[in-house]
Amino acid sequence: PLVKDFSKGAKVEQGAASGILVTNAEKGDKTLKLGVTSKCVGKFAQKGDETGCFKEDGGPLKIDGMEVGSQISVNLPYRTLTGFSIEAESKMKGQEMFEMYKAYYGVPDYADKFVKAALKGQDETKRVSVPMDFLGKEEIFRIECAKKGSAYWSVWMYVIREMEDAVNDCKSGCEFCNNAPVHAWDEAVAFYTGSLEGESGDVSGKLLYRLAEKRCKNYKTCEGGISKVNTNILKKFKEGRQKLDQGKCDEIEPIKKEIINLMSIPLIQGTLRYAYKIARGGGSPKEKAEGVAFLGSIIPRLDSCSPQDAKIALQHMWIDGDMKATDNGYQTVKEAFERNYVCLGVKCADIGGLLDDNTADYYSDFRPCTD
């Protein structure tokens, strides 16, 4: 037990490991909560480096230079894609975008339920407002839904959560609340890009940054070889970080909303791309699954703009939807989205038109719309 009190922000050291207390530690306490400031990359990372990690056999522990113990136990929590969804209610309750998605699907852990139903090949119908019927579906269909659902449902919302966390920390004047000296805003950037992207981007990336890069090539919305979405998002992330450092909390809110709108562009592009593939090419199980996953990632926003247009998209593209529900299903879905671009915070030029890989020109029936 501690023999004296230590204030939040006190320096904690153990050999090469260092950190700061993120809460006050009182005399008699046996547990310390701290943020690690030394390089500590866990064993689950692509390139682990635990030289700066606190260890149970790492020697005596010091707080502000005072030795407080030599036998310690260490708990290094790791966040998981599953955790992003199943812990959403406790971490995101009251946040606008999360509440919108929860209201649409009827449950807070909608992404986890979707992914697990896909992986298990089971129906999830009783606990959700939108049926997730995977019983009897092809393996490739289920795999694609699980993969895309993990990245474009769970991670997408968690990026927003980190931005909300940053705004809340800023308004509360809480410098150390985020379990580390790094602002939650920086974590939003990290989850948006993913570690595989490195410092300058990499085609092996799996998360939202890479999705934007893929879609800009499909829709001719790249600029200088880079997705305009990514260029603008990184610019806004930088702008938000500066506002955060300056304590201008109220000025971060509109930046956050702009980032959400930008992050929605590749989801809309993905939905319309697979609507076109399904309508014009018949749609393989893989293509239909990708259409489901992309639609599911954005349809709560569409529903908040127009429940009627959301029903149109669902009727044509959901798990057991039928693109032939109307005479020109793809055009019907496309128009359902286009009617709501203003509400969604996007423009026709942001979405672009779908390119024919064989001609490098737009498909004649999928050119950019006009606002």
Side-chain angles (χ1 to χ4, degrees):
L2 295 178
V3 297
K4 59 170 288 188
D5 296 343
F6 292 95
S7 299
K8 180 176 67 177
K11 187 174 183 179
V12 183
E13 299 172 287
Q14 184 198 48
S18 60
I20 57 171
L21 292 178
V22 295
T23 59
N24 291 327
E26 300 179 354
K27 181 180 178 180
D29 282 351
K30 296 181 180 180
T31 302
L32 303 176
K33 191 173 184 180
L34 57 101
V36 180
T37 56
S38 50
K39 188 171 185 178
C40 175
V41 183
K43 60 184 179 180
F44 298 112
Q46 187 180 30
K47 297 180 180 179
D49 184 351
E50 299 185 2
T51 55
C53 297
F54 287 86
K55 301 180 178 68
E56 296 184 1
D57 57 354
L61 190 74
K62 297 179 181 180
I63 303 179
D64 283 344
M66 176 182 174
E67 187 173 323
V68 296
S70 57
Q71 294 183 334
I72 64 170
S73 60
V74 178
N75 177 26
L76 292 173
Y78 296 99
R79 279 176 280 197
T80 64
L81 293 174
T82 301
F84 287 172
S85 180
I86 61 176
E87 296 171 9
E89 179 75 3
S90 63
K91 293 186 176 182
M92 305 184 206
K93 187 175 182 178
Q95 295 178 1
E96 180 184 4
M97 199 58 56
F98 167 70
E99 293 294 344
M100 179 191 297
Y101 276 62
K102 182 177 78 170
Y104 183 78
Y105 284 109
V107 289
D109 57 340
Y110 59 89
D112 182 64
K113 284 183 168 48
F114 177 78
V115 171
K116 285 183 177 174
L119 290 174
K120 294 177 181 178
Q122 298 176 353
D123 289 347
E124 178 64 76
T125 57
K126 295 182 179 179
R127 297 179 293 179
V128 293
S129 300
V130 180
M132 302 170 179
D133 298 319
F134 287 100
L135 185 65
K137 295 295 186 292
E138 297 93 332
E139 184 176 3
I140 187 61
F141 182 94
R142 296 189 292 107
I143 289 173
E144 287 301 318
C145 282
K147 287 167 60 177
K148 301 300 188 294
S150 296
Y152 309 148
W153 293 33
S154 294
V155 178
W156 190 87
M157 184 60 71
Y158 206 79
V159 171
I160 298 172
R161 184 263 169 183
E162 292 292 359
M163 290 193 290
E164 295 278 11
D165 192 24
V167 174
N168 292 337
D169 284 355
C170 183
K171 290 181 177 179
S172 68
C174 182
E175 185 179 356
F176 302 111
C177 285
N178 201 45
N179 299 345
V182 179
H183 287 298
W185 194 262
D186 295 327
E187 296 183 18
V189 180
F191 289 125
Y192 177 78
T193 57
S195 61
L196 294 177
E197 293 289 348
E199 295 183 4
S200 56
D202 192 294
V203 294
S204 65
K206 303 293 183 185
L207 301 182
L208 302 164
Y209 181 95
R210 188 48 42 187
L211 172 64
E213 290 300 310
K214 290 179 179 179
R215 290 296 88 91
C216 87
K217 293 178 176 61
N218 300 140
Y219 281 84
K220 207 173 182 178
T221 52
C222 303
E223 191 171 69
I226 300 174
S227 163
K228 284 192 284 188
V229 166
N230 281 335
T231 297
N232 291 329
I233 281 182
L234 294 180
K235 180 181 177 181
K236 290 297 176 182
F237 271 137
K238 184 177 180 180
E239 185 180 337
R241 183 66 159 79
Q242 291 171 343
K243 299 291 185 184
L244 192 66
D245 285 339
Q246 295 165 1
K248 298 180 179 179
C249 311
D250 292 335
E251 295 182 28
I252 302 174
E253 188 69 28
I255 295 173
K256 179 201 73 179
K257 290 183 178 180
E258 287 184 66
I259 291 174
I260 292 172
N261 290 339
L262 287 166
M263 286 170 53
S264 298
I265 292 171
L267 304 184
I268 298 170
Q269 290 174 325
T271 302
L272 297 183
R273 179 172 185 251
Y274 284 98
Y276 191 85
K277 282 177 172 285
I278 294 167
R280 297 293 181 261
S284 66
K286 181 180 184 297
E287 290 171 341
K288 289 182 178 178
E290 296 209 47
V292 168
F294 277 114
L295 177 64
S297 69
I298 193 65
I299 197 170
R301 288 204 68 196
L302 181 62
D303 180 76
S304 73
C305 295
S306 169
Q308 180 179 355
D309 285 325
K311 288 178 182 177
I312 289 172
L314 201 73
Q315 177 188 21
H316 289 78
M317 291 189 68
W318 194 235
I319 296 174
D320 289 316
D322 184 3
M323 193 58 72
K324 297 179 180 178
T326 55
D327 290 340
N328 191 342
Y330 143 72
Q331 194 66 34
T332 302
V333 172
K334 184 171 180 283
E335 291 173 356
F337 274 91
E338 290 174 350
R339 282 192 289 270
N340 296 281
Y341 279 175
V342 173
C343 177
L344 293 167
V346 303
K347 297 179 179 180
C348 286
D350 296 326
I351 304 301
L354 188 62
L355 291 176
D356 184 339
D357 293 334
N358 296 320
T359 65
D361 193 8
Y362 298 119
Y363 285 105
S364 59
D365 51 352
F366 199 155
R367 295 184 177 278
C369 63
T370 55
D371 295 310

